[in-house]
């Protein structure tokens, strides 16, 4: 008899359910969200498990890797796919979700979710930290602009390096107001220093990375896009073909076909939002700021003529992702082609 386990993971506790090949419940319990606790409970049942399933989530990488090291047949499944299945339940509880995941393991109707390496996870922490600090800086600047506007002081367009001196110049005769704004300026100054340090780390990391250097030969692709693409994809061999990368990043249109109705919708946006945003910026650079009249730019231009510029930018974004993945697999640099096939 084969046995399957489902784990519904939360921060503090994990609901565990074990079923047999016929769907009968063998054991159920809530244990602490700790690999040793989960592994110890499953081992105490004295049965050999065929699969142990858990959904992708914040705790999944750590928990999955620890369970695999503990010789358990752990499987990390796509949370979206599992959620669609679990919605069939009338009552949503951790216990019922664990049962549902166990039955998903039993039937085999699931989609695997890739668990990224520690290196990629750490790189993503670096990029996310930089993004958070930049967001805080912009929020402080907007707060200062809005505050001064009440008193008739208009900051206007100004470079980041000149922002503080501009504010001090406006408030030169407003000592009280200046004292109120000074803490925000001080924090902004510190945020900018930390952002510069993170930028130096990213530049150094990319400079020493042969793959990122090759990816940056693609038009429009800069330091951040290349590094983010590497840590987002993590393992290029997990895609059967390069075109699947566009699907993974949510850059392909939705499809609805039922009866006599058949149409394509907007892009799915099912992948990494930051990666998608960086690719869109790279596509914008190719279409707007790139002086060279490349085949990629001409291809995007033809799409813009028959559709719109926004659709063209999305199409070029998808093409860039496919090109970068193929270069990664082949170990080649970008070579200009006489024409670019449709994505």
């Amino acid at each position: 008899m084969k046995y399957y386990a489902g784990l519904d993971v939360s921060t503090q506790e994990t609901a565990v359910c074990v079923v047999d090949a016929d769907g009968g419940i063998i054991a159920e319990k809530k244990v602490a969200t700790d690999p040793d606790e989960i592994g110890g409970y499953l081992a105490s049942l004295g049965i050999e498990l065929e699969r142990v399933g858990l959904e992708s989530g914040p705790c999944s990488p750590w928990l999955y890797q620890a369970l695999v090291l503990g010789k358990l047949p752990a499987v990390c499944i796509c949370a979206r796919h599992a959620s669609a299945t679990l919605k069939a339940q009338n009552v949503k509880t951790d216990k019922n979700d664990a049962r549902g995941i166990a039955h998903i393991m039993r039937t085999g109707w699931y989609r695997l979710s890739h668990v990224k390496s520690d290196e990629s996870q750490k790189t993503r922490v670096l990029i996310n930290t930089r993004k958070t600090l930049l967001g805080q800086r912009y929020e402080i600047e907007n707060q200062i602009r809005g505050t001064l506007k009440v008193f008739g002081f208009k900051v206007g367009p100004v470079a980041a390096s000149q922002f503080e001196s501009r504010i001090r110049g406006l408030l030169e005769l407003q000592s009280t107001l200046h004292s109120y704004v000074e803490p925000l300026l001080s924090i902004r100054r510190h945020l900018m220093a930390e952002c510069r340090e993170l930028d130096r780390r990213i530049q150094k990391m990319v400079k020493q990375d042969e793959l990122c250097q090759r990816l940056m030969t693609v038009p429009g692709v800069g330091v951040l896009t290349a590094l983010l693409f590497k840590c987002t994809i993590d393992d290029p061999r997990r895609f059967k073909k390069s075109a699947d990368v566009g699907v993974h990043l949510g850059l392909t249109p939705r499809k609805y076909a039922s009866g006599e109705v058949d149409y394509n919708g907007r892009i799915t946006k099912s992948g990494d939002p930051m990666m998608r945003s960086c690719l869109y910026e790279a596509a914008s650079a190719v279409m707007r700021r790139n002086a060279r009249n490349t085949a990629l730019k001409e291809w995007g231009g033809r799409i813009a003529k028959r559709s719109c510029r926004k659709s063209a930018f999305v199409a070029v974004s998808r093409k860039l992702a496919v090109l970068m993945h193929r270069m990664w697999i082949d170990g080649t640099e970008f070579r200009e082609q006489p024409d670019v096939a449709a994505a």
Side-chain angles (χ1 to χ4, degrees):
M1 180 70 75
K2 294 182 178 180
Y3 299 94
Y4 306 87
L7 310 178
D8 184 63
V9 181
S10 61
T11 305
Q12 300 298 329
E13 288 186 320
T14 295
V16 183
C17 178
V18 180
V19 300
D20 59 23
D22 296 326
I25 297 175
I26 303 301
E28 287 182 311
K29 188 179 180 180
K30 274 196 173 184
V31 298
T33 302
D34 181 88
D36 294 333
E37 292 286 338
I38 297 172
Y41 172 67
L42 293 176
S44 69
L45 299 176
I47 56 178
E48 186 176 349
L49 294 167
E50 189 72 16
R51 282 190 290 268
V52 178
L54 67 157
E55 293 179 278
S56 58
C59 297
S60 299
W62 156 71
L63 199 56
Y64 169 83
Q65 292 170 0
L67 291 175
V68 170
L69 288 175
K71 307 300 181 182
L72 285 171
V75 176
C76 187
I77 63 176
C78 175
R80 276 191 172 201
H81 196 263
S83 176
T85 306
L86 297 175
K87 281 181 180 178
Q89 300 176 130
N90 292 326
V91 180
K92 176 176 172 55
T93 63
D94 293 343
K95 182 178 179 180
N96 285 345
D97 284 349
R99 285 183 181 182
I101 295 172
H103 287 300
I104 290 173
M105 292 295 101
R106 180 176 64 87
T107 59
W109 196 69
Y110 58 84
R111 185 180 299 164
L112 288 174
S113 179
H114 176 70
V115 179
K116 296 179 183 177
S117 63
D118 283 346
E119 180 185 358
S120 293
Q121 295 283 6
K122 291 175 182 177
T123 302
R124 190 55 190 257
V125 170
L126 172 62
I127 295 174
N128 285 344
T129 301
R130 176 185 178 274
K131 179 184 177 183
T132 300
L133 294 182
L134 283 175
Q136 292 297 317
R137 193 200 96 191
Y138 296 148
E139 186 175 344
I140 287 175
E141 289 179 356
N142 290 334
Q143 175 65 30
I144 294 174
R145 288 174 180 272
T147 299
L148 299 188
K149 194 181 294 184
V150 175
F151 300 95
F153 298 113
K154 300 177 183 179
V155 179
V158 60
S161 59
Q162 302 297 320
F163 183 83
E164 186 171 344
S165 60
R166 169 65 173 164
I167 299 302
R168 295 187 184 281
L170 288 173
L171 302 181
E172 187 176 3
L173 302 178
Q174 300 285 336
S175 58
T176 302
L177 192 56
H178 182 275
S179 66
Y180 296 160
V181 174
E182 179 59 35
L184 293 177
L185 292 175
S186 177
I187 294 173
R188 178 185 177 276
R189 194 181 316 120
H190 182 67
L191 288 174
M192 290 191 67
E194 292 295 335
C195 283
R196 285 193 294 268
E197 176 59 29
L198 292 179
D199 285 339
R200 282 193 290 268
R201 291 188 182 186
I202 291 174
Q203 292 279 359
K204 182 179 179 181
M205 187 180 296
V206 171
K207 189 176 181 179
Q208 296 174 349
D209 192 289
E210 184 269 340
L211 172 62
C212 289
Q213 291 296 313
R214 282 195 288 113
L215 294 179
M216 287 170 61
T217 61
V218 178
V221 176
V223 172
L224 188 61
T225 303
L227 185 61
L228 185 58
F229 186 82
K230 180 186 176 183
C231 70
T232 299
I233 301 302
D234 186 50
D235 179 12
R237 300 290 176 183
R238 65 190 176 105
F239 298 100
K240 292 183 180 179
K241 52 185 179 180
S242 296
D244 292 340
V245 179
V247 180
H248 174 71
L249 296 176
L251 290 168
T252 53
R254 298 178 184 273
K255 179 72 174 179
Y256 184 88
S258 179
E260 298 177 357
V261 179
D262 188 350
Y263 67 88
N264 293 331
R266 295 178 179 271
I267 58 173
T268 62
K269 296 185 179 180
S270 60
D272 186 344
M274 190 188 299
M275 184 73 259
R276 195 163 51 248
S277 176
C278 282
L279 287 172
Y280 192 89
E281 287 294 325
S284 176
V286 171
M287 297 293 292
R288 288 177 172 171
R289 298 191 290 273
N290 194 351
R292 291 187 302 155
N293 194 24
T294 63
L296 186 61
K297 184 175 182 178
E298 291 178 358
W299 176 73
R302 291 196 295 270
I303 295 177
K305 286 181 180 179
R306 68 173 183 261
S307 180
C308 63
R309 291 188 65 84
K310 189 174 181 180
S311 296
F313 285 7
V314 172
V316 173
S317 301
R318 184 172 63 251
K319 177 62 71 176
L320 288 174
V322 173
L323 286 173
M324 291 163 71
H325 179 266
R326 180 44 48 188
M327 288 167 52
W328 191 346
I329 293 290
D330 295 342
T332 57
E333 292 188 0
F334 177 78
R335 297 187 299 272
E336 185 62 42
Q337 300 295 325
D339 196 9
V340 180

